[in-house]
Amino acid sequence: MKLHEYQSKLIFSRYGIPIPKGRVASTAGEARQIAEELGGRVVIKSQVLVGGRGKAGGIKVASDPAEAELLATQILSMEIKGLPVRKVLVDEAAAIDQEIYLGITNDRAAKKPVIMCSAAGGVEIEEVARTNPEKIIKVHVNPLLGIKDYQTRDIAAGIDLPREYWKSFGDILRGLWQAYMDNDATLAEINPLIISKDKRLVALDGKMLIDDNALFRRPELSELRDTDEDAPSEVEARKYGLTFIKLDGNIGCMVNGAGLAMASMDILKFFGGDPANFLDIGGGAGADKVAAAMRIILADPNVKAILFNIFGGITRCDEVARGILTAMAEVKPKVPMVVRLVGTNAEEGRAMLANANMITAETLADAAQKAVAAAKGA
Amino acid sequence: MSILVNKETRLLVQGITGSEGLFHTRQMVAYGTNVVAGVTPGKGGQWVDEKIPVFDSVKIAKEATGANTSIIFVPARFAADSIFEAADAGIPFIVCITEGIPVSDMMRVRNYIDQKNVRLLGPNCPGLLTPGEAKVGIIPGNIAIPGNVGIVSRSGTLTYEVLYALKQVGMGSSTTVGIGGDPVNGTNHIDVLRMFEDDPHTDKIVMIGEIGGSDEEKAAEFIATRMTKPVVGFIAGQTAPAGKRMGHAGAIVEGGEGTADAKIRALEAAGVKVARHPEEIPQLLK
């Protein structure tokens, strides 16, 4: 789950990390009021969950409250990469001397969090990694021990940070580490961390990603979820505990198991088809879940055929068949459906669907080819 | 013959009285697995199906029954604790089926057990199956027959698909190992490939990977430099969009890394025959 900049910075500030004075606004009037409170120049920053806001014109500097209102009006009416801007952050403008990148993420291969830091901040870290990989310092942290003071000094020295800033840098890095661990983040990033003209370190921008698997113990974070970037079908699927990802093709897919769901999409492509979605109904799905999944697939007007590929293990094929029949009675689908049932109770499932006017298949390759043909109207 | 589990396995089930634990315990017993004990805190002294004693802790269960392998079916929020408990009780091989464990928990687990002589398989995995000897996990027993093909996979049902396709042509498996779909797990492709290379009863290997991480690329290097037995590969997720998590927590292409294409190229460069779809695998093994 992604957090907005203003949400991330608010969390950072609770861990003692200095952030600019400012607040979030939903209307231009609010933006003006915040600008008046702050006085002086302010930055109006669109709050959307995509990168490249600045380039898209979603970050502007205003020199007085009237201009702040005008710019907020413009930005609040924008869409950035397809996402509507619903909120702007109004921050006091900073006088920047230097921009630093500071981030923590999980290194899968090392099985440890890794701190990344670079004196070349202000641009995306992937960009720095491509052009100047030697400018990125990486330090792994043992999650059982936590960050050690010497590591913060090593990093500060590694980016040639002047010694006068080492203490405040250490405080910021320890704060970021604590924020990362306490919130089950998979990314906590300050970019840029600036040295201001008045010689202070300030987190000008912030980004956090939270581990979805940990939300059960972070209810206060779950409430911050912004579903704007998810397709409505994905939000609907989440309610039923289904993993659904919308794609651009025309063959709907219902599969049990993530790996098999991916392989089923791949084989459709291999035989010249194009999947409309990724859908894993999970292990042991009951009829109601299957019916919900089918309604979500059929709500997509692009869908010209559906492929059901169920390999029964914990999932029982007769339960899936019951779900298909329930949904069919309700939605009366007009598209052809190809079904392949193998494993637990497959015989019973097939018998239940015998009169449902579905195309049946024995092997995965057979099922995929039949679905591709059906979608083409053959 | 086999790796990791066989007729000598004395299995302990953590979470044996939960609905999933109970269901799969019965399936494992029916398959012939030697389930010697169960653990559910607070239910010590009970019996499951009048055959399997339930204990309050792994430590007591191990002392009483000599369990040498543990399988975990407890909910995600308690699963890391269960792994720590099994490791501290001295269980040398722990299989965790649970899906949805926070990655920070798994990093702590991994950094802890790496200091001990413990092997963890999973989490978020289907466990493993040595056909004809032992089933430790949830892989349906009836879809596989004994044979000389070692299988290692990040997926569950996709692995069943491959076992089933092999059985259709009379081919069987020495051991099938599901390493799981999480970004931080206990056992990776290379660990299992090394065991298969050393196992006299495994002649050929199937390696099933998917998008995300660099485990398959590292395995390719291992295969090229260290393995003598032929390996057939398959990578799921060629049509997966970047930046989206495809069901498995670990199945995501991030910053251009972990794509199916890169993995397939690495495997092919290592001399691995890569199947274009799962049902092609039996043919490539011949």
Side-chain angles (χ1 to χ4, degrees):
Chain A
M1 185 183 95
K2 290 181 193 169
L3 295 187
H4 282 293
E5 174 196 0
Y6 75 94
Q7 297 166 332
S8 306
K9 279 174 16 188
L10 214 56
I11 292 175
F12 292 168
S13 72
R14 280 186 219 134
Y15 289 87
I17 298 173
I19 61 169
K21 281 193 195 118
R23 274 204 333 270
V24 73
S26 313
T27 65
E30 278 173 50
R32 180 189 183 117
Q33 197 193 332
I34 297 166
E36 277 166 3
E37 286 168 24
L38 292 172
R41 291 164 69 236
V42 293
V43 193
I44 314 286
K45 305 175 88 177
S46 55
Q47 299 295 294
V48 282
L49 297 173
V50 285
R53 291 175 300 166
K55 275 186 199 141
I59 299 177
K60 294 268 171 64
V61 179
S63 38
D64 56 54
E67 194 184 6
E69 183 171 5
L70 184 71
L71 292 173
T73 309
Q74 289 170 8
I75 294 174
L76 282 166
S77 64
M78 287 174 71
E79 271 195 9
I80 299 179
K81 295 181 184 168
L83 298 181
V85 180
R86 300 187 198 279
K87 286 191 168 85
V88 289
L89 178 62
V90 183
D91 267 357
E92 61 181 359
I96 302 170
D97 222 23
Q98 195 196 331
E99 295 184 300
I100 295 162
Y101 174 94
L102 181 62
I104 307 175
T105 189
N106 289 335
D107 183 340
R108 293 170 67 142
K111 323 283 183 200
K112 288 182 174 73
V114 60
I115 297 168
M116 292 192 289
C117 192
S118 171
V123 291
E124 283 187 21
I125 194 68
E126 288 85 1
E127 177 65 26
V128 182
R130 211 162 27 243
T131 50
N132 297 88
E134 76 287 347
K135 285 199 174 159
I136 302 176
I137 307 285
K138 289 187 183 183
V139 173
H140 288 94
V141 180
N142 184 326
L144 300 171
L145 298 178
I147 192 167
K148 296 291 154 203
D149 287 349
Y150 82 87
Q151 293 179 308
T152 71
R153 293 192 299 270
D154 282 357
I155 294 167
I159 61 161
D160 290 326
L161 186 73
R163 285 202 178 85
E164 56 185 298
Y165 296 107
W166 284 16
K167 182 176 177 306
S168 52
F169 180 82
D171 291 343
I172 288 171
L173 182 47
R174 275 189 297 274
L176 190 66
W177 168 260
Q178 211 52 50
Y180 185 81
M181 296 306 279
D182 286 355
N183 293 284
D184 274 298
T186 56
L187 175 78
E189 186 181 85
I190 304 173
N191 190 23
L193 174 67
I194 61 152
I195 301 179
S196 64
K197 295 275 188 209
D198 58 356
K199 301 198 176 302
R200 292 185 309 129
L201 287 172
V202 181
L204 222 54
D205 199 347
K207 184 175 171 184
M208 282 184 101
L209 302 181
I210 308 296
D211 181 2
D212 286 321
N213 282 349
L215 288 177
F216 69 83
R217 62 186 176 201
R218 311 281 173 226
E220 74 288 358
L221 292 176
S222 314
E223 287 168 17
L224 301 180
R225 187 190 284 276
D226 174 346
T227 54
D228 273 355
E229 62 160 355
D230 303 333
S233 50
E234 297 178 11
V235 179
E236 180 71 8
R238 201 178 290 135
K239 286 188 209 155
Y240 293 94
L242 298 162
T243 311
F244 180 94
I245 293 162
K246 173 147 173 34
L247 303 170
D248 297 330
N250 60 4
I251 304 174
C253 301
M254 189 188 300
V255 187
N256 64 323
L260 188 57
M262 279 189 274
S264 300
M265 284 160 40
D266 294 349
I267 197 171
L268 285 172
K269 193 93 171 178
F270 177 71
F271 286 114
D274 213 353
N277 65 278
F278 166 93
L279 171 60
D280 171 13
I281 59 169
D288 51 336
K289 215 168 174 180
V290 172
M294 203 158 141
R295 281 194 299 271
I296 291 165
I297 291 175
L298 285 165
D300 179 353
N302 290 337
V303 169
K304 298 284 179 281
I306 305 180
L307 169 67
F308 297 87
N309 184 30
I310 303 298
F311 203 110
I314 325 176
T315 307
R316 289 163 39 194
C317 291
D318 56 329
E319 273 290 312
V320 173
R322 199 187 327 278
I324 293 174
L325 291 174
T326 307
M328 280 175 85
E330 205 180 298
V331 241
K332 311 232 180 327
K334 293 180 183 65
V335 299
M337 297 188 282
V338 180
V339 62
R340 171 176 181 254
L341 303 176
V342 189
T344 311
N345 296 359
E347 290 297 323
E348 292 88 328
R350 279 186 219 126
M352 288 167 68
L353 296 178
N355 299 318
N357 196 23
M358 300 178 89
I359 305 163
T360 56
E362 287 294 315
T363 65
L364 177 54
D366 184 31
Q369 290 175 75
K370 282 175 173 163
V372 172
K376 286 180 178 157
Chain B
M1 261 294 286
S2 58
I3 61 168
L4 293 167
V5 293
N6 55 32
K7 287 208 162 71
E8 311 302 317
T9 297
R10 296 177 63 77
L11 187 66
L12 175 157
V13 180
Q14 289 177 257
I16 193 166
T17 55
S19 66
E20 282 200 38
L22 188 59
F23 175 80
H24 290 292
T25 296
R26 287 177 177 148
Q27 299 279 314
M28 291 189 285
V29 169
Y31 193 80
T33 307
N34 188 14
V35 180
V36 297
V39 167
T40 298
K43 296 201 174 170
Q46 297 185 10
W47 292 76
V48 164
D49 294 341
E50 287 150 25
K51 282 187 302 229
I52 306 164
V54 180
F55 299 87
D56 281 322
S57 79
V58 176
K59 185 165 178 282
I60 304 169
K62 180 174 181 278
E63 281 165 5
T65 64
N68 59 15
T69 301
S70 173
I71 186 163
I72 295 173
F73 284 104
V74 307
R77 61 181 68 198
F78 312 117
D81 190 69
S82 295
I83 301 172
F84 283 125
E85 183 183 359
D88 283 345
I91 301 279
F93 183 42
I94 304 164
V95 179
C96 185
I97 305 297
T98 308
E99 178 175 5
I101 303 177
V103 67
S104 60
D105 287 4
M106 280 315 302
M107 282 192 298
R108 289 193 190 93
V109 162
R110 208 24 228 269
N111 282 275
Y112 183 70
I113 64 171
D114 279 356
Q115 304 163 9
K116 295 176 159 255
N117 196 17
V118 169
R119 173 165 296 287
L120 170 70
L121 182 68
N124 191 11
C125 80
L128 62 173
L129 175 69
T130 293
E133 293 201 37
K135 162 180 149 108
V136 176
I138 63 175
I139 301 174
N142 60 352
I143 59 169
I145 52 176
N148 64 355
V149 182
I151 302 176
V152 54
S153 172
R154 272 169 74 186
S155 163
T157 48
L158 178 54
T159 312
Y160 310 169
E161 191 76 69
V162 172
L163 279 169
Y164 183 73
L166 289 178
K167 188 182 173 188
Q168 300 302 305
V169 295
M171 296 173 91
S173 168
S174 52
T175 300
T176 293
V177 184
I179 60 174
D182 270 10
V184 174
N185 59 13
T187 295
N188 63 23
H189 280 302
I190 292 180
D191 298 328
V192 182
L193 290 172
R194 183 180 286 124
M195 289 182 248
F196 280 141
E197 176 71 10
D198 294 339
D199 175 31
H201 299 272
T202 298
D203 295 327
K204 305 164 184 181
I205 293 134
V206 175
M207 181 183 126
I208 301 165
E210 64 188 29
I211 54 164
S214 56
D215 208 17
E216 289 82 1
E217 284 88 336
K218 290 188 186 116
E221 197 185 323
F222 179 81
I223 292 165
T225 54
R226 306 282 295 279
M227 290 191 69
T228 59
K229 297 176 183 176
V231 181
V232 169
F234 177 74
I235 303 291
Q238 296 175 56
T239 48
K244 290 278 188 180
R245 224 168 270 287
M246 305 302 281
H248 287 155
I252 179 166
V253 174
E254 289 170 300
E257 281 187 10
T259 65
D261 279 350
K263 291 173 190 297
I264 291 169
R265 273 200 307 276
L267 287 171
E268 284 181 338
V272 173
K273 288 185 207 164
V274 180
R276 293 168 303 171
H277 61 81
E279 286 160 344
E280 241 185 20
I281 291 171
Q283 198 185 320
L284 294 179
L285 280 169
K286 280 177 184 165

